[in-house]
């Protein structure tokens, strides 16, 4: 059931990128899709019976690999920075155009 919700989130963001005309809505859809992909990685990497790799005691147990966690954290930070950069681009585009609809902007630049 959880896998279905994650896949639905990814597809919702994907179709939002394709079918939405407004640039801000496209950025929000891209964020939704990114969140779904990160949730999918977390869902795949989650295992039971392993502990976090924190040195509290020297008990020999199964520890989770910290590399996937670091990769996901890096993906979150990069996704946030890309989103901020795209919003700045949209703000600059909004200064010159009265609308943020992609078809109207394309029509304006074709003239």
């Amino acid at each position: 059931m959880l896998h279905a919700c994650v896949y639905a989130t990814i597809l919702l963001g994907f179709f939002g990128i394709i079918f939405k005309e407004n640039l801000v809505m496209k950025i929000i859809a891209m964020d939704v899709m990114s969140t779904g992909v990160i949730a999918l990685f977390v869902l795949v990497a989650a295992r039971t019976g392993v502990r976090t790799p924190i040195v509290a005691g020297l008990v020999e147990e199964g520890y989770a690999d910290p590399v996937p966690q670091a990769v996901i954290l890096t993906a979150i930070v990069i996704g946030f920075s890309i989103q901020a950069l795209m919003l700045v681009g949209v703000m600059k585009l909004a200064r010159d155009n009265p609308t943020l609809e992609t078809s109207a902007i394309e029509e304006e630049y074709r003239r």
Side-chain angles (χ1 to χ4, degrees), residues 4 7 10 18 22 31 44 46 52 56 62 69-70 83 88 96 101 108:
Y7 286 124
I10 293 171
I18 291 175
N22 192 316
D31 186 51
V44 168
T52 55
Q69 298 169 11
Q83 189 178 20
V88 168
D96 300 333
E101 301 294 322
E108 179 71 24

Side-chain angles (χ1 to χ4, degrees), residues 27-49:
I27 292 172
I28 291 172
M30 187 174 160
D31 186 51
V32 168
M33 190 172 86
S34 172
T35 301
V37 169
I38 289 170
L40 179 66
F41 279 120
V42 169
L43 194 62
V44 168
R47 292 181 294 167
T48 58

